[in-house]
Amino acid sequence: MSTGELLSVEPQELQFQLELKKQISCSMQLTNKTNNHVAFKVKTTNPKKYCVRPNTGVVLPHSTCDVTVTMQAQKEAPPDMQCKDKFLLQSAVASHGATTKDITPVLFNKESGNQVEECKLKVSYVAPAQPPSPVREGSEEGSSPRASISENGTTSSTDSVVVPRAYTESHEKTSETKALIAKLTEEKNSAIQQYNKLHQELELLRRQGNKSGGGIPIIYVILIGLLGILLGYLVK
């Protein structure tokens, strides 16, 4: 805290938590320790970079006034996070009942015989606080399984629960696939056996027809049709 006869200033150094492309503000508090009205004026070496509200005003006796300093958005951070900007706070005794409209440049002119105090304020940059790293639910590759404590005090591993469950589901799907393949193979073998049996019966009927010298029996035609249907099923 800077303590003068008219105003005390807190803090003595303006700190800005630097974040690129974002306006940043900080405040200082002026305290009037006298029984008089005290006028103040805030100046800066870089007026285009900062906005001060209020930059002039009157602090009533034994009261305080908050001043907000806003730094315009910066495109890049300065080297080594150093800032050479400075502020100057001027204060002078004003007439009783004075307001901001009554403040003139002459009031802060020492050559006019006025009691003028000056307080220089430095500017510093502070790196923004880093957010805490989020806790991952599952362990990454190469890391150990994350353990948790149950209500009865025993320790269990998350991975030891997830892996067997996935393995069981995969094993069940494999068993179902094998069962389906075995069923289809059995049906195919049965169809082939029926085809061979019908083929043998057709050959027998054909030979009997040749010996009798008659036409083709109707049963022979029916069997040929069934054989064609069965053959088409096997091809599919």
Side-chain angles (χ1 to χ4, degrees):
M1 177 185 292
S2 174
T3 303
E5 294 182 5
L6 300 179
L7 294 178
S8 61
V9 186
E10 175 67 27
Q12 184 68 26
E13 182 179 75
L14 300 179
Q15 293 185 343
F16 293 91
Q17 194 171 41
L18 186 60
E19 294 184 36
L20 299 181
K21 300 180 181 180
K22 182 179 179 181
Q23 286 188 345
I24 309 165
S25 299
C26 69
S27 61
M28 57 182 173
Q29 189 176 72
L30 311 180
T31 302
N32 182 0
K33 304 179 296 180
T34 70
N35 296 322
N36 301 317
H37 286 62
V38 177
F40 70 89
K41 184 176 183 179
V42 181
K43 297 181 179 180
T44 177
T45 57
N46 197 342
K48 293 182 178 181
K49 185 177 178 181
Y50 301 95
C51 178
V52 182
R53 290 291 181 272
N55 61 341
T56 58
V58 176
V59 185
L60 300 179
H62 303 286
S63 62
T64 60
C65 176
D66 291 328
V67 177
T68 301
V69 181
T70 302
M71 182 176 67
Q72 303 301 320
Q74 302 298 300
K75 295 182 179 180
E76 57 184 12
D80 301 327
M81 295 290 287
Q82 298 297 320
C83 182
K84 297 181 180 180
D85 301 332
K86 291 183 173 125
F87 284 82
L88 177 66
L89 173 66
Q90 293 179 312
S91 57
V93 176
S95 59
H96 181 74
T99 63
T100 304
K101 296 180 180 180
D102 300 323
I103 298 176
T104 61
V106 180
L107 188 62
F108 301 100
N109 189 352
K110 295 181 181 180
E111 296 178 357
S112 301
N114 298 327
Q115 181 184 357
V116 180
E117 287 185 353
E118 293 183 347
C119 176
K120 295 180 180 180
L121 304 173
K122 296 181 181 180
V123 178
S124 63
Y125 294 143
V126 179
Q130 296 295 330
S133 300
V135 179
R136 297 180 182 272
E137 290 296 331
S139 59
E140 297 182 354
E141 183 180 356
S143 62
S144 59
R146 182 171 58 90
S148 60
I149 301 177
S150 59
E151 295 181 355
N152 57 7
T154 59
T155 304
S156 61
S157 175
T158 303
D159 290 349
S160 63
V161 175
V162 176
V163 173
R165 184 179 301 171
Y167 173 78
T168 302
E169 293 177 356
S170 177
H171 183 69
E172 290 177 354
K173 291 181 179 180
T174 303
S175 301
E176 293 177 358
T177 303
K178 290 181 177 180
L180 180 59
I181 293 174
K183 182 179 180 182
L184 293 175
T185 303
E186 183 179 354
E187 291 179 355
K188 180 180 178 181
N189 292 335
S190 177
I192 292 174
Q193 290 177 2
Q194 292 179 6
Y195 169 77
N196 292 334
K197 184 178 180 180
L198 288 175
H199 183 71
Q200 292 175 0
E201 292 178 355
L202 286 174
E203 285 293 329
L204 181 60
L205 291 173
R206 185 178 61 81
R207 291 174 184 176
Q208 291 177 356
N210 291 336
K211 290 180 181 181
S212 61
I216 301 175
I218 187 64
I219 189 64
Y220 182 73
V221 176
I222 294 174
L223 290 176
I224 290 176
L226 292 175
L227 183 59
I229 293 174
L230 182 60
L231 183 59
Y233 172 77
L234 291 176
V235 172
K236 291 181 179 180

